[in-house]
Amino acid sequence: MRLIFKSVAVLVVLALLLAGGLWFSLYEFRPALPTQQLFVNGRILTMDSDNRVVNALLLEGEQIAAVGDGDRLRALADENAVVIDLKGKTLLPGFIDAHGHFPGTGLAARGVDLSSPPIGSVRRIADLQAQLRQAESALDEGAWLFGFGYDDSLLAEQRHPTREELDAVSATRPIYLMHSSGHLGMSNTAGLNAAGITLDTPDPEGGEIVRDADGMATGLLLEHATDLVAPLAMDFSFFDFIAMSDLAAQQYLAAGVTTAQSGGVDTRFLRGLKLLSDLGRIPQRLIVWPLADKSAEDLDSGLLNAESLHTARFDMKAVKLIADGSIQGYTAHLHQPYYRHPNPSFRGFPRLSDQSLTEQLVKYHCEAYQLAIHGNGDEAIESILNAFAEAQQRCPRDDPRAIVVHAQTATPAQLQRMKALGMTPSFFVAHTFFWGDRHRDRFLGPARASRISPLQDALDEDLRFTVHLDSPVVPMDIGRLLWSATTRQTRSGAVLGEEQRVDIWQALRSVTIDAAWQSFEEQRLGSLEVGKQADLVQLDRDPTEGAEALLAFKVERTWIGGRCVYQRGRDDCELTE
């Protein structure tokens, strides 16, 4: 998913921020951190190499100074140390978003949420139209009507809305709906006209303008074809961007996420995130991946330079490429055909040719970038592995940690190759809940569906991995993510691939220390060990107690760099209780 905003002069932005009283959120104006903070009387999950559980933690400024027994740490603390009594609650490292699209969960500040249950309320196309009409009445003349989160497979009609059904909402205002997967979009006639899509418009490489029998665009746009309309509909102002970021930041803090990721952005978007981070407007640490096909010139010229952009709260990490699309959109590239599709031989398609994928992977790998390559279908994953093998042959690196993003249908043989090549998967395991029943019955069939997100197979290969939510594709809900990894229950209550479940400790590692490792941050983040940054989350119960605890736990407080930035039910944080 790619968001776009209009350029605004930095001085104007700073003036507006100042006028709105936002400077009070800057670090320079915050109270100084206590010299020491001592956490006692809790169950503290360190997530170190031994998964030690202790009862006390001592901070000095932004860093962890000591971990262990309460009596010993009290002796180490000075008389002015602020003591925080955890009252038996659980403390653990702040959660790390291994892959997502921050601040995409804040889209509701700008667009219409068209999600179906269990996320939203849209059950049929008439519901979708009603929500669009309500939002349309409040828009300025000429503005695009933008919606997001609709899922054709969850609508009663079991199809996408038609161009004519969107024209019934407005025949004159351009409309664009982004599919829940982020890989498809739907537009009305006015939107297609605004984008200049006609009978003669060719399909872009790696995309399709879906047409009817007469060659007329139906409004449905697949993969790169969305690039023809989405930049117009999502040309958000910087002030929209601020509103989305504010909303997303609070959602992430409430979920205990202390390091967020924006995985696949263009240069303007990256610069906007950097500005808000520098201003202290985004409290989380941010890991940003520039998208190769949108930032190539800036990467080549050095305008986007990881070293110059680096701060304690902001890092430009991997360069991202997208090899295929989504299984639920029928655009993931599979080795065998989809289970149920009007065309019984249809296997999806790649977004990049094998030649282009290889050329780009070799280029960025040889320039010493980390790589993150989106691959859902096993055929796309095979192309990724072949391309990266060529990159490693030309420019060998001992520890590249190239990330296969999603890796939904990775086979055991492909996991073995990842291990041999120094690659690491990040699994979108929450698919088992949100789409698992449909993967089994519609998209992949029972055998393949039972192996999506093969976590245990990866463990068997000693292949380090992470799990993620790809938010805003699904909400930022770490408990649901951990529960999916350990139960693999679908919405119907069935278990999809029991043999691929992992235990709670392994799931917790995949959103803490292993997520830090995957981004080369394990020396300062991801576990509660001496010398690391004090990014912490306090839960109201112990998540290791069982699956029910994973779904039920509430984040009570979140700290970033030793500073409490969130407390449930309050606008500010209390240091002591």
Side-chain angles (χ1 to χ4, degrees):
M1 187 195 72
R2 184 166 62 94
L3 303 181
I4 305 165
F5 58 87
K6 297 177 181 177
S7 297
V8 179
V10 172
L11 290 177
V12 174
V13 173
L14 293 179
L16 186 70
L17 293 176
L18 180 61
L22 304 179
W23 284 93
F24 291 107
S25 69
L26 300 179
Y27 296 117
E28 294 91 329
F29 289 84
R30 291 179 175 180
L33 279 175
T35 303
Q36 290 186 330
Q37 297 179 73
L38 177 62
F39 295 77
V40 296
N41 191 28
R43 179 171 167 80
I44 300 176
L45 314 184
T46 65
M47 305 312 301
D48 66 7
S49 59
D50 296 320
N51 286 339
R52 279 194 308 153
V53 179
V54 299
N55 60 26
L57 180 76
L58 179 65
L59 310 185
E60 290 185 353
E62 296 187 1
Q63 293 186 322
I64 298 170
V67 181
D69 176 71
D71 291 338
R72 183 177 71 85
L73 268 59
R74 285 182 186 276
L76 293 175
D78 62 38
E79 61 182 12
N80 295 318
V82 174
V83 178
I84 300 170
D85 185 352
L86 294 171
K87 299 182 178 179
K89 301 297 178 60
T90 298
L91 191 74
L92 67 160
F95 299 128
I96 296 174
D97 176 24
H99 177 63
H101 300 278
F102 183 92
T105 59
L107 275 172
R110 174 60 180 82
V112 187
D113 188 345
L114 301 172
S115 301
S116 297
I119 300 170
S121 60
V122 173
R123 298 178 181 274
R124 53 187 59 83
I125 290 172
D127 299 336
L128 180 148
Q129 290 174 307
Q131 291 202 23
L132 289 174
R133 287 191 182 99
Q134 182 178 3
E136 197 268 343
S137 64
L139 292 176
D140 295 334
E141 185 177 353
W144 280 76
L145 177 56
F146 168 67
F148 64 93
Y150 90 93
D151 186 338
D152 57 298
S153 68
L154 286 177
L155 298 175
E157 295 85 352
Q158 290 288 290
R159 61 173 174 82
H160 298 276
T162 65
R163 186 187 75 238
E164 292 78 12
E165 286 167 333
L166 295 186
D167 287 346
V169 174
S170 178
T172 57
R173 183 186 299 280
I175 299 173
Y176 178 71
L177 310 183
M178 184 173 69
H179 189 263
S180 63
S181 68
H183 287 262
L184 321 175
M186 188 71 208
S187 189
N188 68 343
T189 301
L192 295 173
N193 291 340
I197 295 176
T198 68
L199 285 168
D200 301 321
T201 303
D203 287 340
E205 182 179 359
E208 180 184 352
I209 303 167
V210 178
R211 299 179 183 276
D212 61 21
D214 298 322
M216 181 72 69
T218 65
L220 181 60
L221 306 167
L222 309 182
E223 298 299 334
H224 275 307
T226 62
D227 294 344
L228 303 174
V229 179
L232 303 175
M234 301 170 69
D235 192 8
F236 302 143
S237 74
F238 197 85
F239 311 119
D240 292 329
F241 184 65
I242 291 173
M244 289 189 293
S245 296
D246 284 349
L247 179 56
Q250 287 305 307
Q251 292 168 337
Y252 278 51
L253 290 178
V257 175
T258 55
T259 298
Q261 191 206 84
S262 198
V265 299
D266 63 18
T267 302
R268 287 196 300 170
F269 191 85
L270 186 150
R271 292 289 185 186
L273 288 173
K274 178 66 162 58
L275 174 61
L276 293 186
S277 178
D278 287 347
L279 290 172
R281 191 61 185 260
I282 299 173
Q284 285 86 0
R285 303 183 196 278
L286 283 177
I287 291 176
V288 180
W289 295 347
L291 194 60
D293 64 348
K294 302 299 180 184
S295 303
E297 290 185 8
D298 296 324
L299 289 166
D300 293 344
S301 68
L303 179 63
L304 290 183
N305 181 282
E307 185 175 347
S308 65
L309 291 168
H310 169 79
T311 69
R313 298 296 178 99
F314 188 93
D315 264 307
M316 189 188 91
K317 292 286 189 178
V319 173
K320 185 179 180 183
L321 296 93
I322 304 176
D324 71 342
S326 72
I327 295 171
Q328 68 269 35
Y330 290 112
T331 59
H333 195 198
L334 300 175
H335 183 66
Q336 296 294 329
Y338 281 88
Y339 186 58
R340 299 190 188 281
H341 190 274
N343 177 354
S345 64
F346 184 72
R347 300 187 298 118
F349 55 88
R351 280 176 62 115
L352 293 170
S353 68
D354 284 350
Q355 179 181 347
S356 178
L357 180 64
T358 300
E359 288 174 353
Q360 292 188 62
L361 286 191
V362 168
K363 169 185 170 63
Y364 291 114
H365 178 73
C366 290
E367 292 175 357
Y369 287 102
Q370 187 185 16
L371 294 167
I373 314 101
H374 167 117
N376 267 314
D378 51 354
E379 190 72 11
I381 294 169
E382 192 69 16
S383 295
I384 291 167
L385 298 179
N386 291 339
F388 190 70
E390 177 68 19
Q392 273 286 64
Q393 183 175 3
R394 295 199 196 181
C395 301
R397 282 160 57 186
D398 290 337
D399 187 18
R401 299 187 203 178
I403 305 166
V404 183
V405 180
H406 305 324
Q408 283 285 295
T409 56
T411 66
Q414 289 173 337
L415 295 173
Q416 291 173 9
R417 287 190 71 192
M418 289 182 205
K419 175 71 174 178
L421 289 167
M423 305 182 82
T424 170
S426 186
F427 295 114
F428 190 173
V429 72
H431 258 260
T432 55
F433 174 72
F434 287 100
W435 289 278
D437 293 317
R438 282 164 289 155
H439 282 316
R440 181 194 61 228
D441 301 335
R442 178 172 174 178
F443 304 133
L444 295 174
R448 282 184 296 178
S450 69
R451 287 201 68 264
I452 62 168
S453 294
L455 271 59
Q456 185 57 52
D457 281 354
L459 279 181
D460 291 343
E461 295 296 335
D462 193 27
L463 179 62
R464 208 164 180 178
F465 64 84
T466 63
V467 296
H468 64 264
L469 289 159
D470 203 23
S471 296
V473 175
V474 299
M476 179 47 68
D477 183 347
I478 298 295
R480 174 69 67 182
L481 175 62
L482 298 170
W483 177 85
S484 295
T486 58
T487 70
R488 294 180 67 95
Q489 284 189 29
T490 70
R491 289 182 59 197
S492 70
V495 175
L496 190 68
E498 179 179 1
E499 67 280 0
Q500 297 299 337
R501 297 186 297 190
V502 295
D503 66 35
I504 292 174
W505 282 99
Q506 181 60 50
L508 284 168
R509 293 187 71 83
S510 69
V511 295
T512 54
I513 187 58
D514 290 346
W517 170 87
Q518 196 168 71
S519 289
F520 292 93
E521 292 283 3
E522 72 273 20
Q523 297 303 313
R524 71 184 190 116
L525 302 175
S527 62
L528 305 184
E529 299 182 81
V530 173
K532 289 196 173 185
Q533 292 291 300
D535 292 1
L536 318 169
V537 59
Q538 178 186 329
L539 307 181
D540 67 344
R541 67 197 70 197
D542 183 354
T544 67
E545 289 178 349
E548 291 184 4
L550 294 177
L551 280 185
F553 76 68
K554 303 294 184 186
V555 172
E556 294 196 333
R557 287 185 286 191
T558 304
W559 291 261
I560 300 177
R563 184 181 301 278
C564 184
V565 290
Y566 169 82
Q567 184 166 346
R568 185 160 60 102
R570 290 179 58 94
D571 293 330
D572 56 2
C573 287
E574 292 178 317
L575 287 177
T576 59
E577 294 184 349

